[in-house]
């Protein structure tokens, strides 16, 4: 059903991360430097851990782009894991000789049996019948979100053709709402071997009215955005516009009154509690999304858990982790929202080339007022 869709593959300490994208029309300019800047933004943020000092995420486009322009063919991209060179034996794709004591030691050293509360470890090991939780951790790791940011950057290249603008900002870390207080709280959590979550806002501007639809449950754009954002590891809540505040507001204070600007032949609202979506469709106002991320479950001071081999009580596994990754999550959130909006654009306007998409878009916009 999706017009713009993608799959990713790759493990946290495997050779690389990949994505295959389908549905991007031909003749869209793709700037690899821009994709790399987006990848760098995801690596930053106060509270990130040691892994980010090892990696310098860079995209390599393997197909679907020629001379910097999409051809309409599937786009395949790859991001190398620099850390992989330290994991060639424990993450070997090929069979290894377990009779070799050095190899046995290297594999055993990376085996995990003490599952982390709050991560995919235990349910994943049960579901996939794994005795080494490494086989769950490697793919459930949020490292996978680097691929999504690269795909999102390609969606952003497409959206920019229509004048779409976007931004995100962190609203809250733990119980702090100001930058200095947020940093202090992160420092304190780090000292205590603890982690922190928070909340961020994403805004998309210049989105035309009428993307998404009310006619079927799975066409509603608010549902599609919420699903995409909830699919980011550690995200626990997504709000659109006034979001959770709506529970306390009466109808007269919830809904945004409608006006008409005769000079510009345009409908508008003075408030945006709807967050740019009414009836599962964009209404022409800014798309405003608020996302809540829980604290990362890998902690230097681990919680009580169980060793799945011995069934005895143990502190959960700790390898290396971020104290706080809310800033990074906001960049992933922008990427996921861009992917959904690019899909909704293509659903509405179609087109196998950007010229065709633009012709359809311009015809539609002419009649909107
Ligand atoms: C990473 C996200 C986190 C990091 C990971 C890199 O993933 P997870 O959800 O597994 O905690 O911990 O780095 C490591 C696993 C490591 O080797 O330190 C990311 O955003 O790239």
């Amino acid at each position: 059903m999706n017009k713009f869709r993608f799959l990713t593959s790759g493990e946290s300490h495997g050779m690389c991360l990949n994505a295959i994208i389908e549905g991007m029309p031909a003749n869209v300019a793709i700037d690899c430097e821009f994709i790399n800047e987006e990848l760098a933004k995801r690596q930053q943020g106060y509270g990130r851990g040691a892994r980010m000092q090892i990696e310098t995420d860079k995209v390599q486009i393997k197909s679907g782009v020629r001379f910097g322009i999409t051809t309409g063919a599937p786009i395949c991209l790859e991001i190398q894991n620099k850390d992989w060179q330290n994991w060639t034996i424990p993450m070997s794709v090929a069979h290894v000789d377990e009779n070799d004591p050095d190899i046995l030691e290297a594999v055993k050293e990376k085996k995990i049996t003490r599952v982390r509360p709050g991560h995919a470890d235990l349910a994943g090991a049960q579901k996939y019948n794994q005795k080494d939780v490494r086989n769950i951790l490697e793919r459930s790791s949020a490292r996978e979100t680097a691929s999504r940011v690269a795909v999102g950057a390609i969606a952003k290249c497409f959206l920019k053709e229509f004048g779409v603008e976007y931004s995100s900002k962190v609203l809250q870390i733990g119980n702090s709402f100001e930058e200095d207080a947020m940093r202090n709280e992160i420092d304190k959590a780090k000292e205590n071997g603890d982690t922190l979550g928070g909340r961020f806002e994403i805004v998309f501007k210049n989105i035309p009215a009428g993307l998404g639809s009310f006619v079927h449950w799975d066409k509603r754009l608010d549902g599609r955005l919420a699903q995409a954002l909830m699919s980011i590891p550690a995200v626990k809540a997504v709000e659109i516009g006034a979001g959770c505040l709506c529970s306390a507001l009466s109808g007269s204070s919830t809904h945004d009154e409608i006006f008409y600007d005769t000079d510009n032949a345009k409908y508008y609202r003075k408030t945006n509690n709807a967050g740019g979506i009414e009836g599962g469709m964009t209404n022409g106002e800014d798309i405003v999304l608020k996302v809540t991320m829980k604290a990362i479950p890998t902690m230097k001071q681990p919680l009580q858990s169980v060793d799945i081999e011995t069934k005895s009580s143990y502190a959960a596994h700790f390898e290396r982790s971020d104290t706080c990754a809310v800033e990074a999550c906001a960049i992933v959130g922008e990427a996921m929202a861009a992917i959904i909006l690019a899909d909704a654009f293509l659903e509405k306007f179609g087109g196998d080339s950007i010229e065709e998409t633009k012709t359809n878009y311009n015809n539609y916009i002419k009649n909107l007022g």
Side-chain angles (χ1 to χ4, degrees):
M1 193 204 99
N2 296 16
K3 301 290 174 200
F4 179 71
R5 57 186 186 145
F6 72 103
L7 286 174
T8 70
S9 72
E11 280 86 29
S12 181
H13 304 96
M15 198 181 296
C16 59
L17 305 165
N18 300 95
I20 294 188
I21 303 168
E22 193 213 48
M24 182 55 57
N27 301 333
V28 178
I30 301 295
D31 179 354
C32 280
E33 267 326 293
F34 168 69
I35 303 175
N36 289 336
E37 283 162 21
E38 295 287 291
L39 288 171
K41 280 199 226 163
R42 193 202 70 94
Q43 288 199 264
Q44 290 157 14
Y46 201 71
R48 290 287 259 159
R51 176 74 185 272
M52 290 303 104
Q53 284 150 30
I54 301 173
E55 304 296 341
T56 316
D57 293 338
K58 296 261 183 233
V59 74
Q60 261 189 300
I61 295 185
K62 304 267 173 165
S63 66
V65 177
R66 188 160 178 246
F67 308 133
I69 308 283
T70 57
T71 62
I75 300 170
C76 176
L77 57 85
E78 183 177 306
I79 300 160
Q80 302 249 312
N81 283 323
K82 279 196 184 170
D83 203 16
W84 181 68
Q85 64 197 33
N86 305 314
W87 291 76
T88 50
I89 297 172
M91 287 303 288
S92 171
V93 171
H95 181 73
V96 290
D97 178 7
E98 290 189 17
N99 294 321
D100 177 329
D102 289 343
I103 290 181
L104 189 63
E105 190 50 37
V107 173
K108 251 175 76 181
E109 199 200 330
K110 296 299 184 191
K111 183 174 178 181
I112 297 168
T113 53
R114 296 171 189 179
V115 289
R116 293 163 298 174
H119 219 292
D121 298 354
L122 179 55
Q126 291 175 307
K127 178 177 168 67
Y128 290 97
N129 191 23
Q130 295 299 314
K131 293 188 169 54
D132 182 354
V133 177
R134 169 77 48 207
N135 287 340
I136 304 306
L137 171 156
E138 284 292 331
R139 179 62 184 158
S140 62
S141 166
R143 175 111 191 99
E144 182 261 349
T145 60
S147 312
R148 301 200 207 186
V149 167
V151 176
I154 289 174
K156 285 174 175 179
C157 289
F158 168 81
L159 291 171
K160 280 194 240 177
E161 298 270 357
F162 301 90
V164 172
E165 292 171 13
Y166 50 82
S167 62
S168 62
K169 65 173 181 212
V170 174
L171 302 174
Q172 179 182 351
I173 300 284
N175 288 298
S176 303
F177 300 86
E178 302 293 335
E179 197 178 327
D180 286 349
M182 290 182 198
R183 284 177 176 239
N184 288 339
E185 205 170 325
I186 292 171
D187 290 341
K188 218 170 283 163
K190 191 175 180 184
E191 264 169 48
N192 296 333
D194 211 340
T195 55
L196 280 175
R199 190 161 168 258
F200 59 87
E201 181 180 80
I202 303 168
V203 178
F204 274 77
K205 290 178 183 289
N206 303 332
I207 305 283
L211 303 189
S213 177
F214 55 88
V215 302
H216 280 300
W217 66 271
D218 57 349
K219 287 186 178 279
R220 287 185 175 258
L221 194 68
D222 36 8
R224 289 153 67 178
L225 284 164
Q227 197 276 329
L229 292 164
M230 284 293 285
S231 76
I232 302 169
V235 166
K236 300 307 283 181
V238 176
E239 296 169 81
I240 299 186
C244 295
L245 285 178
C246 289
S247 63
L249 298 178
S250 64
S252 57
S253 12
T254 301
H255 303 296
D256 309 304
E257 290 182 308
I258 302 170
F259 302 90
Y260 190 71
D261 172 357
T262 31
D263 292 346
N264 296 305
K266 213 178 151 211
Y267 297 98
Y268 70 98
R269 291 123 181 112
K270 293 179 183 171
T271 55
N272 189 15
N273 284 338
I277 300 183
E278 289 176 299
M281 295 168 292
T282 54
N283 63 8
E285 303 295 336
D286 294 351
I287 308 287
V288 182
L289 307 158
K290 293 190 183 73
V291 180
T292 298
M293 182 192 194
K294 71 176 178 181
I296 289 163
T298 312
M299 286 174 285
K300 205 167 180 180
Q301 281 296 320
L303 293 175
Q304 201 58 36
S305 186
V306 172
D307 187 314
I308 60 167
E309 216 162 60
T310 63
K311 315 286 190 242
S312 21
S313 233
Y314 271 107
H317 164 80
F318 175 80
E319 205 161 70
R320 195 165 52 183
S321 185
D322 304 314
T323 306
C324 181
V326 178
E327 272 185 80
C329 193
I331 301 304
V332 183
E334 268 186 26
M336 291 309 290
I339 289 164
I340 297 301
L341 290 171
D343 181 44
F345 256 80
L346 287 164
E347 177 184 79
K348 177 86 183 88
F349 304 115
D352 293 306
S353 68
I354 192 71
E355 295 79 12
E356 190 182 355
T357 312
K358 276 188 180 170
T359 302
N360 298 341
Y361 169 88
N362 289 332
N363 281 338
Y364 173 74
I365 298 290
K366 253 192 287 182
N367 296 317
L368 266 186

